[in-house]
Amino acid sequence: MGANRQKSVDFRGRYTPEAAGAAVSGAEDPAGSRSHNLLLRRRASLMQEPVLVLNATYEPINVTAVRRAMVLMLKGVAQAEELHNSEVHSASHAHRVPSVIRLLAYRHIPQQSRALSRKNILLRDRNTCQFCGNVFPSSELTLDHVVPRSRGGRSSWENLVACCYRCNNGKGDRTPEEAGLKLARRPRPFTLHTSRQLMRLIGHRDERWRKYLFY
Ligand SMILES: [Zn+2]
């Protein structure tokens, strides 16, 4: 069950603060090593929860994970603007988990700062196979060259898409037309516009993100 929840958090931004709160307090399921394991797993998934990153000017610039956000806070690079109702416990302290953080120094964000990488392509395509339209965990997706490399297709934002193994095998060394496949949408570079759309998509579930994203 925990694993399922983690999947939906990671790939669809479907998470509820209530669920995260219940996760760390471990209210359900009484003692025993099984519930201890469950607790650790839930804590791990809490550390993966999305955190909205604001520039010093309050402009939303990125989404990161709780783990990374807490490192930035500890380094004094960022401060929490909104908090989760959950805590993580170290040996001596309980730390409130951030939901929104803000960088203390202004950072210039170039218009196209996203590197062409597998991770960013999966993010752009929202872990959705661009041929069958199904959502998969990252481990079950590959990158497909829309125009195959053997036919001169390049490794570029416009020619690489997220693709499940099944569709990838079916397509083989052919163009989508030849294989009778249709792209869900035309692949585009990952722009600031794309990141903002993504932030809104994820932020829809979190009240605390709203005032920074919908204006
Ligand atoms: Zn597919």
Side-chain angles (χ1 to χ4, degrees):
M1 183 192 93
N4 281 340
R5 183 193 293 146
Q6 192 179 354
K7 272 184 192 175
S8 29
V9 166
D10 284 356
F11 305 116
R12 297 191 136 159
R14 261 192 211 160
Y15 101 99
T16 58
E18 296 74 21
V24 262
S25 65
E28 18 169 318
D29 209 21
S33 72
R34 203 174 143 266
S35 79
H36 179 66
N37 285 340
L38 207 63
L39 205 66
L40 285 179
R41 234 180 23 233
R42 285 171 174 179
R43 179 186 160 159
S45 88
L46 174 67
M47 294 306 271
Q48 297 305 318
E49 292 277 300
V51 174
L52 181 66
V53 184
L54 306 174
N55 214 334
T57 51
Y58 290 90
E59 183 196 3
I61 50 173
N62 203 359
V63 176
T64 192
V66 164
R67 185 186 302 279
R68 171 87 185 133
M70 291 184 85
V71 169
L72 292 175
M73 285 162 62
L74 283 170
K75 282 185 174 169
V77 175
Q79 70 179 32
E81 291 292 330
E82 306 285 336
L83 292 166
H84 251 279
N85 353 348
S86 332
E87 293 179 337
V88 282
H89 300 269
S90 63
S92 51
H93 290 91
H95 304 270
R96 286 294 295 277
V97 170
S99 166
V100 177
I101 60 167
R102 185 169 66 92
L103 301 177
L104 296 177
Y106 179 77
R107 194 182 295 174
H108 175 71
I109 310 290
Q111 269 302 313
Q112 274 189 28
S113 57
R114 294 281 184 168
L116 179 66
S117 66
R118 172 185 151 82
K119 184 177 151 239
N120 281 336
I121 288 187
L122 297 189
L123 197 62
R124 179 199 63 187
D125 294 344
R126 295 171 194 172
N127 277 72
T128 307
C129 170
Q130 293 300 292
F131 294 111
C132 66
N134 293 317
V135 177
F136 294 91
S138 302
S139 58
E140 291 171 32
L141 283 166
T142 182
L143 297 185
D144 180 66
H145 284 79
V146 179
V147 176
R149 264 182 298 193
S150 60
R151 315 275 285 272
R154 293 193 182 184
S155 298
S156 65
W157 283 110
E158 293 83 356
N159 196 46
L160 283 169
V161 292
C163 182
C164 74
Y165 285 102
R166 196 175 161 189
C167 289
N168 191 245
N169 286 334
K171 180 169 174 279
D173 229 14
R174 298 179 291 176
T175 65
E177 296 74 33
E178 291 166 351
L181 295 166
K182 205 168 175 306
L183 276 175
R185 42 178 199 164
R186 197 161 71 82
R188 292 168 194 272
F190 202 128
T191 61
L192 199 63
H193 177 70
T194 319
S195 351
R196 200 148 290 165
Q197 273 185 320
L198 275 173
M199 288 191 273
R200 289 191 167 141
L201 192 81
I202 302 172
H204 229 84
R205 299 267 163 174
D206 193 334
E207 284 289 323
R208 285 158 297 209
W209 287 27
R210 273 194 198 168
K211 60 182 166 194
Y212 305 101
L213 291 173
F214 303 95
Y215 39 78

